[in-house]
Amino acid sequence: MDDARETPVNPLQLDPGQVPLYAPGAISPDCDRDVLLELKGISKRFGTNQVLDNIDLTVYQGEAVAIIGPSGTGKSTILRIIAGLLAPDAGEIYVAGKRREGLIEDSPDPVGIGMVFQQAALFDSLTVDENVGFLLYQHSNLPTRQIKQLVEEVLEMVGLPGIGNRYPAELSGGMRKRVSFARAIIANPDNPKDRPALLLYDEPTAGLDPIASTVIEDLIRDIQRSHGCSSYVIVTHQNGTIRRTADRVIFLHCGKIQWSGPVTAIDTTDNPYVRQFFSGQVEGPIQLVP
């Protein structure tokens, strides 16, 4: 497999619905691993805008998948559908082999799914402790002292010990991102299923300087290795974040998956979408809307 070479595939010569998820010779996910998430024929329209058009996507246990593409192509929409916050117009969603019916509150998934939103989405009027432990404070029978201890443990894990009494306004952008990570991974020890098996990251390094971005990228990998949240899907535009956090890359455009392959194939593929995206050229199959 190390000597495999990708055979160039030009999706412009194929029907969009027939573009292969993996070009011949590309490194595919290990089919022996368990399938954690499967989307079949997912479509979503907002008004006259067909954002997602018959999308098929599989995420395997232990896999790190980056969804990339131009702005406004439905990347965040996919995350919200996976998280159960938004219902597709058509298609089926399977989590750990079980079909999800409706939204997450209608049919809880057999494994936990945590989401880190682009803007951290913290409650400004609550302390860091109250933000991170929000679900445990509201929906568990754990004593307050134990919740505070759990909060401190995850804050230390993300490199922010001792800030539980601060408010979001007192934190830098990078710190707020890390607090949102802590909130996503905290779990009720009395209910192991609460620990997320799949994490969803929506533009986790957007608006951060290169050093803060590196801290976040390292944290994403550290959580994958040490916290048991071994699978994640990340939406990002950042070149460095793509290369440092992804095992497999999916390129989304015009509601379709136009290319999918290992992150190591980014610089060798002849796919015109990928070439234009990473080169920043104006001319190509990706046309900017005025």
Side-chain angles (χ1 to χ4, degrees):
M1 291 297 293
D2 292 340
D3 295 329
R5 293 294 183 269
E6 182 187 7
T7 302
V9 175
N10 187 347
L12 299 179
Q13 298 175 350
L14 299 173
D15 179 83
Q18 296 177 336
V19 177
L21 294 187
Y22 277 86
I27 302 173
S28 300
D30 183 357
C31 294
D32 292 335
R33 285 187 288 179
D34 292 336
V35 173
L36 184 60
L37 173 75
E38 191 170 13
L39 307 183
K40 294 184 177 181
I42 296 296
S43 295
K44 186 66 181 179
R45 177 189 295 271
F46 295 107
T48 60
N49 184 19
Q50 187 72 49
V51 178
L52 302 175
D53 187 7
N54 198 34
I55 293 290
D56 293 334
L57 172 63
T58 300
V59 177
Y60 294 84
Q61 183 68 42
E63 193 177 22
V65 177
I67 301 177
I68 68 173
S71 298
T73 54
K75 302 182 297 298
S76 294
T77 299
I78 284 185
L79 288 193
R80 282 160 173 75
I81 289 174
I82 292 173
L85 303 176
L86 180 68
D89 296 333
E92 301 173 353
I93 304 169
Y94 294 87
V95 181
K98 182 179 179 180
R99 183 175 178 179
R100 178 196 290 157
E101 302 287 351
L103 299 179
I104 188 66
E105 63 264 22
D106 303 321
S107 177
D109 290 328
V111 297
I113 297 177
M115 185 163 180
V116 177
F117 294 91
Q118 182 174 348
Q119 300 300 330
L122 302 178
F123 297 108
D124 292 337
S125 61
L126 301 183
T127 65
V128 168
D129 172 85
E130 292 166 336
N131 268 284
V132 174
F134 184 81
L135 289 180
L136 296 184
Y137 283 122
Q138 297 294 320
H139 302 290
S140 79
N141 295 318
L142 298 175
T144 298
R145 178 178 296 181
Q146 185 176 2
I147 296 176
K148 287 184 176 294
Q149 180 179 349
L150 292 170
V151 168
E152 183 58 30
E153 288 174 0
V154 293
L155 285 175
E156 186 170 356
M157 181 177 298
V158 300
L160 297 174
I163 69 161
N165 291 329
R166 296 192 193 180
Y167 287 87
E170 302 177 86
L171 308 177
S172 68
M175 293 172 72
R176 287 195 295 270
K177 295 273 189 179
R178 283 186 279 167
V179 169
S180 69
F181 282 26
R183 182 180 59 187
I185 63 177
I186 195 169
N188 186 342
D190 293 343
N191 188 359
K193 288 185 178 181
D194 280 352
R195 184 179 299 276
L198 176 65
L199 284 175
L200 309 175
Y201 298 99
D202 191 2
E203 297 282 5
T205 56
L208 299 181
D209 63 70
I211 296 174
S213 293
T214 298
V215 170
I216 294 298
E217 291 157 3
D218 289 344
L219 179 58
I220 289 171
R221 284 300 195 182
D222 287 343
I223 289 173
Q224 182 190 29
R225 287 190 294 263
S226 64
H227 194 65
C229 308
S230 61
S231 306
Y232 61 84
V233 178
I234 181 171
V235 163
T236 179
H237 288 93
Q238 307 297 323
N239 190 355
T241 302
I242 295 167
R243 296 176 186 275
R244 299 187 78 241
T245 63
D247 301 327
R248 178 160 59 105
V249 177
I250 292 170
F251 194 97
L252 186 67
H253 185 53
C254 293
K256 299 282 189 181
I257 293 178
Q258 304 292 353
W259 183 84
S260 179
V263 68
T264 52
I266 287 175
D267 296 320
T268 58
T269 180
D270 287 332
N271 182 280
Y273 292 93
V274 178
R275 302 308 301 160
Q276 183 184 1
F277 183 82
F278 283 96
S279 67
Q281 295 179 354
V282 175
E283 295 185 358
I286 304 170
Q287 298 298 312
L288 296 180
V289 178

